[in-house]
């Protein structure tokens, strides 16, 4: 199973490279368009270089600290997966690899994004569909790199430790540092990129629209370049690091819960999260490739259509994976014969939760629906009513996502803690496609800025405005998706954190209790404690 996971991860990375080469082969427009694009590239690469140097420096310091604490300060315990020095080495190595993979995935995605923008701007002059596909496939490079690198890192570490003779049941505990490294990078990428992009956006609007009274993206406003740079470093690299951390933490957390169910599922239960994630990558690739629209079509409808395809294929992948990997011996555990189907339903709950976030976000951010229209109507009477209406809608839109998350957790909890883990896997099963839609936003936003600043005809600007409006919705969509997945991942991580007062056997006993006794489809006899 691990070779399958590694092969799918590598093929996904290879496909992302293929998409990048395809995007980069497109026309780059006029010299003036290239000059503007070069300025955006220079700013984005300068920001990422500065930010990454800081992250690397702090990561080195923290890696040394982790090694020292594990090797010399921490009191050895009987439940440690390996001796103290080995624990220190593998935890530190996993931390470094998690941080490195997150940095690489984020940088590659942004590198392609700041080169896909001008190609989208050049293509929209002749074809809306071609511009849509360039932007989506340029964004897919980021999505595929983030999810595939996360999966490859966890799967590769597992394969390495397994080849060195480590106990398969203890390997997930040895590689938890990978998720910590991913979280460490996400902290700085989200804060640094997020603060920069909002500061640049507000600054450009204040200087241009308010003080100078000139249109958005007007070439006379030098702050526009900073605004366009911010879209890439915040919504592309920052959001990528955020979801990289969620997928890595969820993979490892679900594997740890799988260890508690080893008497029932064996090694298959531990590796189930990785196989399910690999099939989610395949589903996302298919969904990305079916995105297309007519010249007068709705770009949002085209993206939604691709997401529906991805979701259906992800559900099919969960069904096959659950059936093959989570089936128990019916002769030994007759009451648990249908357990795999309940876990499959938990995966469906997660996928439906992701779909709900898509609908909720679109309703509150797309121009076709009541909330945005009410804000636009309120804006006619001045900035005060605009602010009041905007805050009211912002407060309103938080209620339904909270209910959706609560319903998903409670529903999946009927299958125990492992059920909530599978629901989290379901929500993150389409993460590659969601990230592609997220990066689609900065690409189309940049394309609109390039078209405006290079003085293209009005009909071209109207096309980029249509794509930009969709891009704003997809960026908001991914923010909501990231928050929802983080909530489920946090619940999962808290459930895999043993208290100081319990022994290893006690922890696994409780894990079994939550995962099996609270569910209604398993035997009442306790499994052997490993």
């Amino acid at each position: 199973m691990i070779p399958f996971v590694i092969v799918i991860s590598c093929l996904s990375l290879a496909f992302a490279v293929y998409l990048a080469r395809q995007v980069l082969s497109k026309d780059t427009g006029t010299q003036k368009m290239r000059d503007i694009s070069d300025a955006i590239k220079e700013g984005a690469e300068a920001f990422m270089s500065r930010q990454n140097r800081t992250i690397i420096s702090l990561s080195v310091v923290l890696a040394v600290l982790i090694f020292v604490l594990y090797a010399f300060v921490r009191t050895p315990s009987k439940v440690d997966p390996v001796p103290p020095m080995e624990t220190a080495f593998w935890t530190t190595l996993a931390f470094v690899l998690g941080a490195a993979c997150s940095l690489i995935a984020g940088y590659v995605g942004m590198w392609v994004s700041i080169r896909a923008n001008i190609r989208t701007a050049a293509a929209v002059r002749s074809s809306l569909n071609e511009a849509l596909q360039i932007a989506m496939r340029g964004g897919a490079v980021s999505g595929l790199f983030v999810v595939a690198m996360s999966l490859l890192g966890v799967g590769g570490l597992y394969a390495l430790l397994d080849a060195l003779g480590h106990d398969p049941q203890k390997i997930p505990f040895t590689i938890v540092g990978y998720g910590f490294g991913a979280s460490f990078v996400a902290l700085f990428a989200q804060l640094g990129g997020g603060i920069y992009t909002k500061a640049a956006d507000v600054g450009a609007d204040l200087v241009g629209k308010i003080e100078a009274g000139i249109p958005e993206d007007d070439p006379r406003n030098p702050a526009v370049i900073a605004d366009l740079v911010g879209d890439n470093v915040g919504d592309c690299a920052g959001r990528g690091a955020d979801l990289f951390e969620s997928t890595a933490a969820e993979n490892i957390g679900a594997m740890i819960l799988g260890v508690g169910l080893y008497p029932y599922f064996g090694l298959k239960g531990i590796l189930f999260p990785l196989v399910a994630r690999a099939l989610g990558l395949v589903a996302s690739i298919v969904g990305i490739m079916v995105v297309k629209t007519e010249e007068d079509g709705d770009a949002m409808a085209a993206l939604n259509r691709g997401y529906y395809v991805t979701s259906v294929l992800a559900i099919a992948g969960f069904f096959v994976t659950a059936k093959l990997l989570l089936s128990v011996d019916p002769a030994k555990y007759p009451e648990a014969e249908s357990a795999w189907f309940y876990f499959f339903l938990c995966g469906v709950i997660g996928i439906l939760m992701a779909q709900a976030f898509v609908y909720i976000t679109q309703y509150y951010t797309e121009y076709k629906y009541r909330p945005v229209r009410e804000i636009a109507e309120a804006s006619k009477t001045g900035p005060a009513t605009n602010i009041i209406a905007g805050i009211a809608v912002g407060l309103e839109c938080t209620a339904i996502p909270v209910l959706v998350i609560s319903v998903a957790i409670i529903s999946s909890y009927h299958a125990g803690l492992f059920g909530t883990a599978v629901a989290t896997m379901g929500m993150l099963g389409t993460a590659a496609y969601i990230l592609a839609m997220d990066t689609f936003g900065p690409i189309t936003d940049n394309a609109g800025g390039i078209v405006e600043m290079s003085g293209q005809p009005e009909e071209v600007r109207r096309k980029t405005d249509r794509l930009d409006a969709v891009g704003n919705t997809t960026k908001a969509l991914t923010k909501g998706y990231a928050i929802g997945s983080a909530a489920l991942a946090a619940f999962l991580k808290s459930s895999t954190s043993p208290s100081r007062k319990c022994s290893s056997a006690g922890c696994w006993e409780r894990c079994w209790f939550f995962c099996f006794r609270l569910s209604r489809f398993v035997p009442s006899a306790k499994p052997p404690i490993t």
Side-chain angles (χ1 to χ4, degrees):
M1 286 178 284
I2 282 293
F4 170 79
V5 170
I6 292 175
V7 167
I8 293 296
S9 301
C10 292
L11 288 177
S12 298
L13 291 174
F15 187 76
V17 172
Y18 162 75
L19 290 180
R21 291 175 61 89
Q22 187 181 67
V23 168
L24 295 177
S25 67
K26 301 297 183 179
D27 178 40
T28 56
T30 65
Q31 182 59 48
K32 191 170 184 179
M33 295 170 71
R34 287 193 289 272
D35 291 340
I36 299 166
S37 176
D38 289 343
I40 298 171
K41 284 192 294 185
E42 183 179 356
E45 290 175 346
F47 178 90
M48 289 299 293
S49 175
R50 175 65 268 180
Q51 178 177 267
N52 288 348
R53 286 202 305 273
T54 302
I55 293 175
I56 291 170
S57 300
L58 294 174
S59 297
V60 170
V61 174
L62 189 55
V64 172
L65 182 62
I66 290 172
F67 183 85
V68 171
L69 290 176
Y70 268 90
F72 305 110
V73 178
R74 179 174 176 269
T75 303
S77 171
K78 293 181 180 180
V79 301
D80 286 344
V82 291
M85 193 60 70
E86 281 191 63
T87 300
F89 172 78
W90 289 111
T91 303
T92 305
L93 178 63
F95 169 81
V96 171
L97 285 177
C101 289
S102 182
L103 284 174
I104 293 170
Y107 188 83
V108 169
M110 191 213 66
W111 190 91
V112 175
S113 171
I114 57 180
R115 288 161 174 80
N117 53 16
I118 186 172
R119 289 157 174 87
T120 302
V124 80
R125 296 178 300 171
S126 57
S127 171
L128 180 68
N129 180 58
E130 186 180 1
L132 172 71
Q133 291 187 329
I134 290 174
M136 186 59 180
R137 294 178 184 185
V141 175
S142 176
L144 293 175
F145 254 86
V146 164
V147 179
M149 289 288 286
S150 172
L151 184 61
L152 183 62
V154 175
L157 277 173
Y158 188 98
L160 176 60
L161 288 165
D162 187 48
L164 293 175
H166 287 242
D167 184 348
Q169 296 186 65
K170 295 181 178 179
I171 292 176
F173 301 93
T174 310
I175 62 176
V176 291
Y178 189 88
F180 182 36
S183 298
F184 187 74
V185 172
L187 171 67
F188 288 93
Q190 274 283 72
L191 285 176
I195 292 172
Y196 177 91
T197 185
K198 293 309 172 188
D201 192 354
V202 173
D205 287 345
L206 287 175
V207 170
K209 298 178 184 177
I210 305 301
E211 294 185 4
I214 57 179
E216 184 175 5
D217 296 338
D218 192 287
R220 292 169 290 177
N221 184 358
V224 168
I225 296 297
D227 182 12
L228 299 177
V229 167
D231 291 327
N232 293 285
V233 300
D235 293 315
C236 180
R239 197 79 61 246
D242 185 17
L243 286 177
F244 185 99
E245 183 269 337
S246 291
T247 55
E250 183 273 330
N251 283 337
I252 297 171
M255 291 172 73
I256 290 174
L257 287 178
V259 173
L261 306 179
Y262 191 83
Y264 288 91
F265 304 133
L267 190 61
K268 294 178 181 178
I270 300 175
L271 299 181
F272 171 77
L274 303 185
V275 177
R277 180 75 67 249
L279 293 180
L281 271 172
V282 176
S284 297
I285 289 173
V286 176
I288 289 163
M289 297 308 293
V290 303
V291 172
K292 63 179 179 180
T293 188
E294 301 296 331
E295 195 63 26
D296 57 348
D298 185 350
M300 192 72 238
L303 297 181
N304 285 339
R305 191 161 49 246
Y307 186 61
Y308 298 148
V309 171
T310 301
S311 298
V312 169
L313 292 177
I315 290 174
F318 262 95
F319 182 87
V320 173
T321 309
K323 176 66 174 174
L324 294 178
L325 302 185
L326 299 182
S327 295
V328 299
D329 184 355
K332 192 174 181 180
Y333 304 112
E335 297 89 344
E337 187 175 358
S338 60
W340 70 269
F341 185 72
Y342 287 84
F343 288 128
F344 159 68
L345 291 181
C346 291
V348 174
I349 288 172
I351 293 172
L352 293 179
M353 178 182 169
Q355 284 278 4
F357 267 83
V358 170
Y359 288 130
I360 294 167
T361 305
Q362 287 184 18
Y363 176 74
Y364 281 103
T365 59
E366 199 170 350
Y367 64 91
K368 295 186 294 185
Y369 301 111
R370 174 192 62 82
V372 173
R373 290 184 177 275
E374 284 186 354
I375 296 173
E377 185 66 27
S379 302
K380 293 179 180 179
T381 54
T385 49
N386 168 274
I387 293 171
I388 293 171
I391 291 177
V393 170
L395 292 172
E396 177 189 328
C397 76
T398 60
I400 300 179
V402 171
L403 293 176
V404 170
I405 292 172
S406 302
V407 169
I409 291 177
I410 294 171
S411 301
S412 59
Y413 191 70
H414 282 294
L417 289 178
F418 194 69
T420 64
V422 177
T424 311
M425 282 188 280
M427 185 170 188
L428 291 171
T430 57
Y433 189 92
I434 292 290
L435 263 174
M437 287 204 296
D438 178 58
T439 310
F440 172 91
I443 292 174
T444 54
D445 195 342
N446 280 204
I450 292 171
V451 165
E452 176 71 23
M453 298 178 76
S454 61
Q456 299 300 310
E458 183 63 28
E459 60 269 20
V460 176
R461 178 65 200 192
R462 281 197 294 267
K463 289 182 182 180
T464 55
D465 282 345
R466 289 166 58 189
L467 292 177
D468 189 15
V470 171
N472 286 330
T473 298
T474 60
K475 286 188 289 186
L477 184 158
T478 314
K479 290 180 176 71
Y481 179 86
I483 292 169
S485 64
L488 288 181
F491 182 83
L492 175 60
K493 284 189 282 187
S494 66
S495 69
T496 58
S497 301
S499 66
R500 293 188 176 194
K501 297 180 180 179
C502 70
S503 64
S504 177
C507 289
W508 295 134
E509 203 162 17
R510 280 197 297 280
C511 180
W512 168 83
F513 178 81
F514 283 117
C515 290
F516 281 86
R517 290 297 296 276
L518 290 182
S519 56
R520 301 176 181 177
F521 49 84
V522 293
S524 58
K526 292 183 179 182
I529 302 301
T530 57

